[in-house]
mmCIF file of all heavy atoms in Angstrom:
data_model
loop_
_atom_site.group_PDB
_atom_site.id
_atom_site.type_symbol
_atom_site.label_atom_id
_atom_site.label_comp_id
_atom_site.label_asym_id
_atom_site.label_seq_id
_atom_site.Cartn_x
_atom_site.Cartn_y
_atom_site.Cartn_z
ATOM 1 N N SER G 125 90.551 48.243 -18.533
ATOM 2 C CA SER G 125 90.026 47.425 -19.621
ATOM 3 C C SER G 125 91.150 46.667 -20.317
ATOM 4 O O SER G 125 91.013 45.480 -20.650
ATOM 5 C CB SER G 125 89.266 48.313 -20.614
ATOM 6 O OG SER G 125 88.593 47.540 -21.567
ATOM 7 N N GLN G 126 92.296 47.359 -20.538
ATOM 8 C CA GLN G 126 93.446 46.703 -21.156
ATOM 9 C C GLN G 126 93.985 45.585 -20.258
ATOM 10 O O GLN G 126 94.346 44.501 -20.738
ATOM 11 C CB GLN G 126 94.549 47.738 -21.437
ATOM 12 C CG GLN G 126 94.225 48.713 -22.569
ATOM 13 C CD GLN G 126 94.071 48.011 -23.913
ATOM 14 O OE1 GLN G 126 94.761 47.041 -24.216
ATOM 15 N NE2 GLN G 126 93.131 48.509 -24.730
ATOM 16 N N GLU G 127 94.060 45.861 -18.955
ATOM 17 C CA GLU G 127 94.549 44.845 -18.026
ATOM 18 C C GLU G 127 93.623 43.617 -18.006
ATOM 19 O O GLU G 127 94.086 42.474 -17.962
ATOM 20 C CB GLU G 127 94.655 45.429 -16.618
ATOM 21 C CG GLU G 127 95.718 46.501 -16.461
ATOM 22 C CD GLU G 127 97.122 45.914 -16.502
ATOM 23 O OE1 GLU G 127 97.257 44.669 -16.463
ATOM 24 O OE2 GLU G 127 98.089 46.703 -16.566
ATOM 25 N N LEU G 128 92.310 43.884 -18.004
ATOM 26 C CA LEU G 128 91.360 42.774 -18.019
ATOM 27 C C LEU G 128 91.494 41.962 -19.304
ATOM 28 O O LEU G 128 91.440 40.718 -19.291
ATOM 29 C CB LEU G 128 89.928 43.303 -17.877
ATOM 30 C CG LEU G 128 89.506 43.726 -16.466
ATOM 31 C CD1 LEU G 128 88.185 44.477 -16.501
ATOM 32 C CD2 LEU G 128 89.385 42.504 -15.561
ATOM 33 N N LYS G 129 91.687 42.681 -20.407
ATOM 34 C CA LYS G 129 91.829 42.009 -21.706
ATOM 35 C C LYS G 129 93.063 41.120 -21.717
ATOM 36 O O LYS G 129 93.042 40.003 -22.262
ATOM 37 C CB LYS G 129 91.912 43.054 -22.814
ATOM 38 C CG LYS G 129 91.923 42.468 -24.216
ATOM 39 C CD LYS G 129 91.906 43.585 -25.242
ATOM 40 C CE LYS G 129 91.899 43.021 -26.666
ATOM 41 N NZ LYS G 129 91.901 44.126 -27.689
ATOM 42 N N ALA G 130 94.115 41.611 -21.073
ATOM 43 C CA ALA G 130 95.374 40.861 -21.073
ATOM 44 C C ALA G 130 95.337 39.669 -20.124
ATOM 45 O O ALA G 130 95.995 38.651 -20.360
ATOM 46 C CB ALA G 130 96.518 41.796 -20.699
ATOM 47 N N SER G 131 94.565 39.809 -19.028
ATOM 48 C CA SER G 131 94.616 38.777 -17.985
ATOM 49 C C SER G 131 93.427 37.830 -17.988
ATOM 50 O O SER G 131 93.437 36.835 -17.244
ATOM 51 C CB SER G 131 94.730 39.429 -16.609
ATOM 52 O OG SER G 131 93.626 40.281 -16.368
ATOM 53 N N VAL G 132 92.392 38.115 -18.776
ATOM 54 C CA VAL G 132 91.173 37.321 -18.690
ATOM 55 C C VAL G 132 91.398 35.875 -19.116
ATOM 56 O O VAL G 132 90.682 34.966 -18.692
ATOM 57 C CB VAL G 132 90.042 37.972 -19.533
ATOM 58 C CG1 VAL G 132 90.295 37.798 -21.031
ATOM 59 C CG2 VAL G 132 88.695 37.386 -19.158
ATOM 60 N N GLY G 133 92.382 35.652 -19.944
ATOM 61 C CA GLY G 133 92.653 34.282 -20.356
ATOM 62 C C GLY G 133 93.615 33.563 -19.446
ATOM 63 O O GLY G 133 93.891 32.368 -19.640
ATOM 64 N N GLY G 134 94.152 34.250 -18.448
ATOM 65 C CA GLY G 134 95.130 33.652 -17.553
ATOM 66 C C GLY G 134 94.493 32.902 -16.407
ATOM 67 O O GLY G 134 93.271 32.773 -16.294
ATOM 68 N N ARG G 135 95.353 32.421 -15.522
ATOM 69 C CA ARG G 135 94.887 31.623 -14.388
ATOM 70 C C ARG G 135 94.770 32.409 -13.093
ATOM 71 O O ARG G 135 94.270 31.882 -12.104
ATOM 72 C CB ARG G 135 95.843 30.453 -14.167
ATOM 73 C CG ARG G 135 95.864 29.464 -15.316
ATOM 74 C CD ARG G 135 96.739 28.285 -14.978
ATOM 75 N NE ARG G 135 96.716 27.280 -16.036
ATOM 76 C CZ ARG G 135 97.385 26.127 -15.990
ATOM 77 N NH1 ARG G 135 98.130 25.854 -14.906
ATOM 78 N NH2 ARG G 135 97.318 25.269 -16.986
ATOM 79 N N ASP G 136 95.254 33.642 -13.092
ATOM 80 C CA ASP G 136 95.198 34.451 -11.866
ATOM 81 C C ASP G 136 93.813 35.083 -11.749
ATOM 82 O O ASP G 136 93.585 36.235 -12.113
ATOM 83 C CB ASP G 136 96.292 35.517 -11.891
ATOM 84 C CG ASP G 136 96.483 36.163 -10.517
ATOM 85 O OD1 ASP G 136 95.637 35.920 -9.633
ATOM 86 O OD2 ASP G 136 97.479 36.885 -10.341
ATOM 87 N N GLU G 137 92.874 34.295 -11.262
ATOM 88 C CA GLU G 137 91.479 34.753 -11.190
ATOM 89 C C GLU G 137 91.302 35.869 -10.172
ATOM 90 O O GLU G 137 90.490 36.781 -10.364
ATOM 91 C CB GLU G 137 90.582 33.567 -10.854
ATOM 92 C CG GLU G 137 90.579 32.504 -11.947
ATOM 93 C CD GLU G 137 89.903 31.223 -11.499
ATOM 94 O OE1 GLU G 137 89.801 31.016 -10.264
ATOM 95 O OE2 GLU G 137 89.487 30.438 -12.361
ATOM 96 N N ALA G 138 92.050 35.815 -9.073
ATOM 97 C CA ALA G 138 91.950 36.871 -8.064
ATOM 98 C C ALA G 138 92.355 38.215 -8.656
ATOM 99 O O ALA G 138 91.752 39.257 -8.351
ATOM 100 C CB ALA G 138 92.820 36.538 -6.859
ATOM 101 N N LYS G 139 93.378 38.203 -9.514
ATOM 102 C CA LYS G 139 93.825 39.444 -10.163
ATOM 103 C C LYS G 139 92.733 39.984 -11.084
ATOM 104 O O LYS G 139 92.479 41.194 -11.118
ATOM 105 C CB LYS G 139 95.107 39.157 -10.943
ATOM 106 C CG LYS G 139 95.708 40.375 -11.634
ATOM 107 C CD LYS G 139 96.982 39.983 -12.366
ATOM 108 C CE LYS G 139 97.577 41.186 -13.103
ATOM 109 N NZ LYS G 139 98.807 40.809 -13.864
ATOM 110 N N ILE G 140 92.090 39.100 -11.839
ATOM 111 C CA ILE G 140 91.004 39.512 -12.746
ATOM 112 C C ILE G 140 89.878 40.171 -11.953
ATOM 113 O O ILE G 140 89.378 41.237 -12.310
ATOM 114 C CB ILE G 140 90.478 38.296 -13.526
ATOM 115 C CG1 ILE G 140 91.580 37.730 -14.415
ATOM 116 C CG2 ILE G 140 89.264 38.671 -14.348
ATOM 117 C CD1 ILE G 140 91.214 36.404 -15.064
ATOM 118 N N VAL G 141 89.481 39.515 -10.850
ATOM 119 C CA VAL G 141 88.398 40.070 -10.014
ATOM 120 C C VAL G 141 88.817 41.407 -9.427
ATOM 121 O O VAL G 141 88.026 42.352 -9.347
ATOM 122 C CB VAL G 141 88.018 39.067 -8.902
ATOM 123 C CG1 VAL G 141 87.005 39.696 -7.936
ATOM 124 C CG2 VAL G 141 87.449 37.792 -9.498
ATOM 125 N N GLY G 142 90.081 41.522 -9.027
ATOM 126 C CA GLY G 142 90.575 42.785 -8.474
ATOM 127 C C GLY G 142 90.478 43.914 -9.484
ATOM 128 O O GLY G 142 90.069 45.042 -9.143
#
Side-chain angles (χ1 to χ4, degrees):
S125 188
Q126 289 297 324
E127 293 288 350
L128 283 169
K129 186 176 181 181
S131 59
V132 73
R135 295 185 177 181
D136 193 349
E137 296 169 339
K139 182 179 178 182
I140 297 171
V141 174

